[in-house]
Amino acid sequence: MKFNTHIQNLPIYEAGKPIELVVREFGINPKNIIKLASNENPLGTSKSVIKTLQKVAKNASLYPDDSFYELKDALANLYSVKSENIVIGSGSDQIIEFALHAKTSDKNAILVSGTTFAMYEIYAKHTGAKVYKTQSKEHDLNEFRKTYNEHKNEIKVIFLCIPNNPLGDCLDASEVMKFISEVDKDTLVIIDGAYMEFAKFKDKKKAINPKDLISKFPNALYLGTFSKAYGLGGMRVGYGVGNSELITALHKLRAPFNITTLSLAAAIAAIKDKDFIKKTLKNNLKEMKVYEKFATKNGIKFIPSYTNFITFIFDETKNATQISDNLLKKGIILRNLKSYGLNAIRITIGKPEQNKRVLGELKKEI
Ligand SMILES: *Cc1c(COP(=O)(O)O)cnc(C)c1O
């Protein structure tokens, strides 16, 4: 069968391996498996969210409130914006998809950093758009400027992943704002803040305020997710914050009821549990240092990370695929970054006892 030509050469996104696969393939007891491959919250889901889920389970037969009134209201309060500035998606992934379908086609292009979240490219290619990448793997705004100016008529969307998955690098908020001010008003600049909670906690200079962003720039879209700091990866809830005209355009692409009744309730409850977020951020910052120390001591290269993961970049004497395969057999699931063209592994920062075991096993492999 022939498919849409845009789809034919499309790369397939390689997601982190699930626990079930390791149980099936290696017969390991799920209790002994450590999964630090997908940047999920190692503390799990907040107790108050679990309680809420138990309460609303009986409503699973009902569609959710399609206006997502209460969730938008909670997010509007969180960011001091209006509900009309918010769109809800099945993960912020879906908002990326909406934004690209709204702006790109096979006659134009997007611009991304050399190594960044793979879904930008994949969704752009759905629409046939070309993908320009900066030479630098990490975000370098001068390179963004250069490539943008060379292909100004073509580039309709620029992605800034702040902080950046899978490398952990993070631009300062002030340089981001300056950059957007130089971009043409018809070019959409997407700030993917999937890990912004972690960056902000570590360093105030990294904090991008969505209200500031969208009041200054009608062509900016801020993305947030409940999958990382909020501990709701399995619930699939993300959001976009933008100028109301932009948000109205994105809503046109949204299918009704695009998150579930349970997801909706979970996200609303998660925003309220500030203690859980605080605990999450504190554990992350403290345990990040354990990984940094290990890397320094063992001569492993890493980029200081503003996220809930650290990426260890190996020299040619080591093989990231072999290392991650060996660890997998022991029930430790990490993210091999081979599909990003890197001899590196990305490790989600876990709980202290998990990190200890991971580093103990890793030490034997290097
Ligand atoms: C995890 C992640 C997302 C979105 O995840 P969802 O689960 O779809 O909300 C978006 N961007 C980056 C960079 C991510 O790492």
Side-chain angles (χ1 to χ4, degrees):
M1 188 185 280
K2 279 195 181 135
F3 296 100
N4 178 333
T5 49
H6 299 150
I7 306 301
Q8 247 152 19
N9 299 321
L10 204 62
I12 293 172
Y13 181 75
E14 194 193 314
K17 290 191 167 62
I19 289 174
E20 292 80 351
L21 178 138
V22 181
V23 174
R24 272 198 312 272
E25 279 193 14
F26 305 108
I28 299 172
N29 185 331
K31 273 200 229 113
N32 298 325
I33 294 174
I34 294 181
K35 185 188 185 218
L36 295 173
S38 299
N39 305 336
E40 293 145 327
N41 191 323
L43 307 184
T45 302
S46 116
K47 285 203 178 66
S48 66
V49 172
I50 293 172
K51 239 191 241 163
T52 301
L53 282 170
Q54 285 164 341
K55 246 194 291 181
V56 298
K58 63 177 187 306
N59 297 338
S61 62
L62 303 175
Y63 284 119
D65 164 12
D66 187 53
S67 74
F68 303 136
Y69 178 88
E70 214 184 325
L71 177 57
K72 282 190 191 169
D73 195 48
L75 284 166
N77 273 323
L78 183 68
Y79 291 124
S80 308
V81 297
K82 293 187 183 144
S83 289
E84 67 189 38
N85 297 121
I86 292 167
V87 58
I88 305 295
S90 172
S92 57
D93 251 283
Q94 195 176 39
I95 315 283
I96 298 170
E97 191 182 9
F98 293 161
L100 288 166
H101 282 265
K103 283 294 289 179
T104 59
S105 73
D106 57 6
K107 295 189 175 51
N108 51 43
I110 70 162
L111 171 59
V112 300
S113 182
T115 299
T116 192
F117 192 47
M119 294 313 299
Y120 308 148
E121 175 167 359
I122 294 176
Y123 288 129
K125 287 187 171 165
H126 286 184
T127 72
K130 196 169 162 181
V131 179
Y132 290 108
K133 296 182 183 182
T134 61
Q135 216 150 41
S136 294
K137 292 183 168 63
E138 297 161 58
H139 287 67
D140 179 323
L141 286 178
N142 283 332
E143 285 188 30
F144 270 85
R145 283 184 182 97
K146 186 169 166 280
T147 311
Y148 179 64
N149 288 324
E150 278 167 13
H151 306 279
K152 212 170 194 161
N153 295 329
E154 236 182 315
I155 294 171
K156 291 293 162 206
V157 179
I158 300 173
F159 281 95
L160 299 176
C161 191
I162 305 179
N164 187 20
N165 180 13
L167 295 179
D169 58 294
C170 190
L171 295 166
D172 282 357
S174 59
E175 38 178 357
V176 171
M177 299 296 267
K178 180 166 184 297
F179 173 76
I180 304 174
S181 73
E182 300 160 8
V183 169
D184 189 273
K185 290 289 163 271
D186 193 48
T187 304
L188 176 64
V189 182
I190 299 183
I191 307 295
D192 186 343
Y195 303 93
M196 182 53 75
E197 291 87 357
F198 299 100
K200 214 160 78 174
F201 189 68
K202 181 174 176 178
D203 184 349
K204 292 272 174 296
K205 285 201 297 293
K206 309 296 181 188
I208 291 188
N209 179 332
K211 180 186 162 73
D212 271 6
L213 182 77
I214 70 166
S215 55
K216 286 200 181 93
F217 308 115
N219 58 327
L221 177 66
Y222 179 89
L223 302 182
T225 178
F226 286 90
S227 300
K228 311 285 160 62
Y230 286 93
L232 293 180
M235 285 282 116
R236 316 299 307 120
V237 189
Y239 55 90
V241 186
N243 167 284
S244 63
E245 186 195 347
L246 169 59
I247 296 298
T248 303
L250 301 183
H251 267 123
K252 291 183 185 169
L253 294 157
R254 189 185 68 90
F257 314 119
N258 61 323
I259 67 167
T260 72
T261 301
L262 272 72
S263 309
L264 180 60
I268 294 164
I271 292 183
K272 291 182 188 147
D273 195 345
K274 307 268 186 230
D275 278 352
F276 178 77
I277 298 294
K278 202 169 219 178
K279 241 184 250 166
T280 298
L281 299 177
K282 278 187 175 160
N283 174 71
N284 187 69
L285 199 57
K286 185 164 143 269
E287 290 296 306
M288 178 71 80
K289 295 196 178 103
V290 175
Y291 280 93
E292 288 174 349
K293 220 166 162 182
F294 176 91
T296 307
K297 201 168 151 194
N298 290 285
I300 300 169
K301 199 178 143 206
F302 68 96
I303 296 162
S305 170
Y306 290 84
T307 64
N308 65 344
F309 61 80
I310 188 161
T311 295
F312 284 173
I313 304 161
F314 298 115
D315 60 30
E316 61 291 345
T317 65
K318 297 178 185 71
N319 182 329
T321 300
Q322 200 166 15
I323 293 170
S324 48
D325 286 352
N326 288 347
L327 289 174
L328 195 62
K329 287 178 199 144
K330 295 175 176 170
I332 296 171
I333 318 174
L334 308 176
R335 184 73 148 88
N336 177 12
L337 294 182
K338 193 179 168 197
S339 65
Y340 284 87
L342 299 174
N343 183 26
I345 49 176
R346 189 190 68 193
I347 311 170
T348 305
I349 307 303
K351 289 188 280 201
E353 62 276 17
Q354 294 179 315
N355 301 330
K356 210 168 150 192
R357 191 174 140 213
V358 168
L359 291 176
E361 293 295 346
L362 186 58
K363 177 79 184 155
K364 295 180 202 162
E365 301 292 335
I366 55 172

